[in-house]
Amino acid sequence: MSTEDHMGFFDTLLFPFIWFNSAILVGFEWLFVRMGMSVDSGWTWVLAIIGLVLTLRAMLTPLMLRQIKSQRRLQIVQPELMKIQAKYKGKKDQASQQKLQQEMFGLYREAGANPFGMCLPILVQMPFFFALFRLLNTAAAVAAGEREPMGLFSTELATHMATSTIFGAELTATFLHHQDLSAKILAVVLIIVMSVTQFITSHQLMRQNMSPEALNSPMARQQQIMIYALPIVFAVTGVNFPIALLVYWTVSNLWTMGQQFMVIRNMPAPNTPAEKKYQERMARKGKAATGIQLKNPNFMADRQAAEAEEAAKVKASGQRVQPKSKKRAKKR
């Protein structure tokens, strides 16, 4: 299968996302033109791209908040999860593994946490980004008549975008494939801003919203490597992207940085510097630092009481008794 065939298959899969992105982009372009801006102005298209970013990211915000809440609840019940895993450590038989899974998912259910929900916002966002990449990356080819228009982004509109400029640089120009100095300078500036915002986002996540134990884990050390590796990745890949796509990526990174700042400030992870600052801030305001709550607020207290009851029975009888929470005891 040729590269063109691959792209055709890829575009077919992305068709609904390409159509959706193009509708928003063209809609914002129409709005700004009706407000008096020129259809041939690069700033009209930059504002349309910014409008597209804000629309997509605002739509994904509820999913992101669900992800954060699920992640925080998992962090709260992590000690209980480790106890369950220790209980079945070394037991590889099918019955024990089945009980392990049942207890783990029972823990997730009672806590109101979903370990798979943390990946959902990223998975949802990916096809939109790939669709926008195809839409903006093929604008020059559509304008030149080398390929068919995609979605509502017609040949006429693609031509207007391809000939529009900001700071003397065409929006369809790339650092690597165009000799225009203005395009090269603007591309470098945008790539630097992309890299810096990505670094700040990753750095504040690690330094403010990770516990000391998590910072010393092997996963944290891998993340530290990624903090310095990602700017290099942006530099290597960014030189191939058109200015229009770099604008989208930069604005999206700025949104992510601001969004994460607000999340860390108001929904910090347990036992982190951010949580300490949050508690101090709430204390100064005379408010309770509730943070993210479990589905059952008494969940941890119930489990601790059940463990204490079990320990007392073991001490009295010398035999181990299966612990049960108050909630289960009431059902019986």
Side-chain angles (χ1 to χ4, degrees):
M1 186 178 289
S2 65
T3 302
E4 185 175 348
D5 292 334
H6 277 297
M7 288 296 98
F9 176 72
F10 194 54
D11 291 342
T12 300
L13 291 177
L14 292 176
F15 174 77
F17 301 98
I18 291 174
W19 190 94
F20 186 78
N21 282 344
S22 67
I24 298 176
L25 182 66
V26 171
F28 274 109
E29 180 271 338
W30 178 88
L31 176 64
F32 292 127
V33 170
R34 293 301 177 276
M35 292 172 61
M37 299 184 69
S38 172
V39 70
D40 295 313
S41 170
W43 293 108
T44 301
W45 289 102
V46 166
L47 289 176
I49 292 171
I50 293 175
L52 174 60
V53 174
L54 299 182
T55 301
L56 290 178
R57 297 306 298 270
M59 289 174 56
L60 292 172
T61 295
L63 281 177
M64 184 277 300
L65 292 176
R66 288 185 62 183
Q67 171 202 17
I68 295 300
K69 290 179 180 179
S70 183
Q71 186 179 39
R72 297 292 183 267
R73 287 166 178 164
L74 283 174
Q75 290 170 330
I76 292 173
V77 300
Q78 185 65 25
E80 297 299 319
L81 183 62
M82 293 177 65
K83 290 178 183 177
I84 294 175
Q85 292 172 336
K87 177 181 174 182
Y88 293 96
K89 185 178 180 181
K91 299 180 180 179
K92 302 298 183 181
D93 60 283
Q94 185 176 356
S96 296
Q97 289 298 306
Q98 186 175 0
K99 290 180 180 179
L100 170 63
Q101 295 298 321
Q102 289 175 347
E103 289 196 33
M104 287 176 60
F105 282 103
L107 177 69
Y108 296 147
R109 184 173 57 256
E110 291 187 60
N114 181 5
F116 305 108
M118 295 187 295
C119 303
L120 187 59
I122 297 175
L123 294 177
V124 172
Q125 187 177 344
M126 285 177 63
F128 286 101
F129 174 79
F130 288 135
L132 185 64
F133 173 81
R134 291 293 296 153
L135 189 67
L136 298 180
N137 204 41
T138 57
V142 172
E146 298 173 359
R147 65 167 297 126
E148 293 295 319
M150 305 182 73
L152 298 181
F153 196 51
S154 65
T155 302
E156 181 183 0
L157 291 175
T159 302
H160 286 304
M161 175 183 279
T163 56
S164 64
T165 62
I166 55 171
F167 301 117
E170 294 183 354
L171 290 180
T172 54
T174 65
F175 177 89
L176 197 61
H177 303 294
H178 290 77
Q179 300 303 316
D180 181 46
L181 181 60
S182 298
K184 290 183 179 294
I185 293 175
L186 183 57
V188 168
V189 170
L190 290 173
I191 290 172
I192 290 174
V193 175
M194 284 165 48
S195 302
V196 170
T197 52
Q198 179 65 45
F199 176 84
I200 293 174
T201 301
S202 302
H203 191 267
Q204 73 175 353
L205 177 64
M206 291 197 66
R207 295 304 172 190
Q208 294 296 324
N209 210 42
M210 291 184 70
S211 64
E213 296 79 10
L215 277 174
N216 293 323
S217 66
M219 183 178 294
R221 287 192 286 271
Q222 293 176 359
Q223 289 178 338
Q224 287 178 334
I225 295 175
M226 291 299 296
I227 288 178
Y228 298 100
L230 279 176
I232 299 176
V233 173
F234 282 144
V236 172
T237 57
V239 294
N240 293 290
F241 293 160
I243 298 295
L245 189 63
L246 292 178
V247 169
Y248 169 85
W249 205 339
T250 301
V251 176
S252 184
N253 273 10
L254 288 170
W255 173 288
T256 300
M257 184 175 69
Q259 187 179 63
Q260 184 172 274
F261 174 80
M262 295 302 297
V263 167
I264 292 176
R265 177 180 172 84
N266 298 300
M267 295 187 291
N271 305 317
T272 61
E275 184 185 48
K276 183 179 179 180
K277 292 180 181 179
Y278 170 73
Q279 292 171 342
E280 292 173 349
R281 191 165 59 251
M282 291 297 101
R284 288 195 298 268
K285 295 180 180 180
K287 298 180 180 179
T290 55
I292 300 296
Q293 296 293 313
L294 297 176
K295 185 177 180 180
N296 173 16
N298 299 320
F299 174 73
M300 295 296 287
D302 287 348
R303 291 187 69 92
Q304 290 171 0
E307 290 177 2
E309 182 182 347
E310 177 199 12
K313 289 181 178 180
V314 169
K315 185 177 181 180
S317 63
Q319 297 179 351
R320 178 176 175 81
V321 179
Q322 184 68 22
K324 56 183 178 180
S325 65
K326 292 180 179 178
K327 185 176 179 181
R328 292 179 179 175
K330 289 179 181 179
K331 288 183 179 180
R332 293 184 181 181

